[in-house]
Amino acid sequence: MAQLLRRHLPVILSLILFLSKATADANFTVSRAAYYPNSDIKGTENGACEYGAFGATLNNGDVSASASLYRDGVGCGACYQVRCTNPYYCSPNGVTIVITDSGASDGTDFILSQHAFTRMAQSTDAGTALLTLGVVGIEYRRVSCTYPNKNIVFKITESSNFPNYLEFEIWYQQGNQDIIAVQLCETVNLTCQLLSRTHGAVWATVSPPSGPLSIRMLFSSGAPRGGDTWLVPTNIVPQNWTAGATYDSGVQVQLQ
């Protein structure tokens, strides 16, 4: 019996490794990726999420456009692990990117920044080879965004007009949940209004409440029976908020 096991041990080990890889890859979706050919090495400042210059350098420039994952702006800020599948050029871990734009090209799910595209490779030379290919086979999965030592930040856009029109974006959201609703509450009289996502990552309201404001966020649990949770900031947006300013929420999504 022992001799029989020794004889077939290599085959058994190969089978175990194959099954382990198949299990590990079960959470990945097979697709294709291209890259922005006419942009800076990092991301674009003109993405549909409306992040501007912040979107070009977010996550050290490892960002991407995606038509299928943009989801009318709900997907803005979501993180994905993307790895190319050519073993000659590609690293096993690939790159983690943030969605900052909407777009598709040649049947792809991702149009990566050049910085992110080359980071899928095993080496600098392999990254150059990937750029030459232009479009590569990939597999991807959603992962948690991580922003160590950062709280969620509210960016008041330059389109805002105090006190008549308030428009803002939510930056540095950790985890892998979507923000599906936002409430704007005046903290003295506790009057709240439910906001609308106008486009991309932008939330807005005409005639916002006067006084100090609390921006409360509803995070989707992803469960079919609900379990969504509200996150309430510990810091307020001051009564005399200004266009172009950023305000620290004082809170962050806790990673599991």
Side-chain angles (χ1 to χ4, degrees):
M1 184 67 176
Q3 184 176 0
L4 182 63
L5 283 174
R6 282 195 298 271
R7 183 185 307 168
H8 294 287
L9 185 59
V11 176
I12 294 171
L13 290 175
S14 297
L15 181 60
I16 291 173
L17 289 173
F18 175 81
L19 291 174
S20 298
K21 186 177 187 303
T23 302
D25 292 351
N27 294 326
F28 284 84
T29 299
V30 175
S31 185
R32 286 153 55 87
Y35 65 91
Y36 288 103
N38 299 317
S39 68
D40 293 333
I41 292 176
K42 295 189 177 181
T44 176
E45 296 186 4
N46 302 312
C49 291
E50 297 289 342
Y51 287 135
F54 171 76
T57 58
L58 176 62
N59 194 37
N60 199 32
D62 290 334
V63 295
S64 180
S66 177
S68 60
L69 302 174
Y70 177 74
R71 294 178 291 144
D72 294 324
V74 176
C76 290
C79 292
Y80 292 86
Q81 179 187 2
V82 182
R83 59 189 190 189
C84 54
T85 53
N86 186 323
Y88 187 75
Y89 298 118
C90 303
S91 70
N93 293 326
V95 63
T96 297
I97 60 88
V98 181
I99 299 296
T100 60
D101 194 7
S102 177
S105 174
D106 196 16
T108 63
D109 274 316
F110 294 90
I111 304 178
L112 301 171
S113 65
Q114 292 188 34
H115 190 264
F117 199 82
T118 56
R119 287 200 63 215
M120 293 191 294
Q122 299 175 12
S123 64
T124 301
D125 289 344
T128 301
L130 288 183
L131 290 175
T132 302
L133 291 174
V135 178
V136 296
I138 61 156
E139 51 189 15
Y140 70 91
R141 64 178 175 180
R142 182 140 184 203
V143 295
S144 289
C145 299
T146 58
Y147 299 107
N149 304 315
K150 288 187 180 296
N151 292 326
I152 290 174
V153 168
F154 303 119
K155 163 69 175 181
I156 312 299
T157 73
E158 285 74 7
S159 298
S160 297
N161 180 24
F162 179 83
N164 302 310
Y165 179 68
L166 175 60
E167 185 181 272
F168 62 89
E169 300 167 355
I170 300 172
W171 291 359
Y172 299 122
Q173 168 200 341
Q174 289 196 151
N176 59 1
Q177 297 172 297
D178 297 324
I179 297 176
I180 56 175
V182 168
Q183 257 189 345
L184 182 67
C185 298
E186 193 275 312
T187 59
V188 176
N189 298 312
L190 297 179
T191 57
C192 298
Q193 59 180 248
L194 198 62
L195 303 190
S196 299
R197 187 193 300 271
T198 59
H199 57 283
V202 178
W203 301 83
T205 179
V206 177
S207 300
S210 60
L213 301 174
S214 175
I215 299 173
R216 306 178 179 188
M217 299 154 283
L218 181 63
F219 287 85
S220 169
S221 68
R225 295 187 178 181
D228 305 334
T229 56
W230 285 96
L231 182 62
V232 179
T234 57
N235 295 341
I236 61 170
V237 174
Q239 178 175 349
N240 297 319
W241 49 266
T242 57
T246 56
Y247 299 104
D248 190 317
S249 70
V251 294
Q252 182 56 274
V253 176
Q254 298 303 307
L255 300 176
Q256 301 297 320

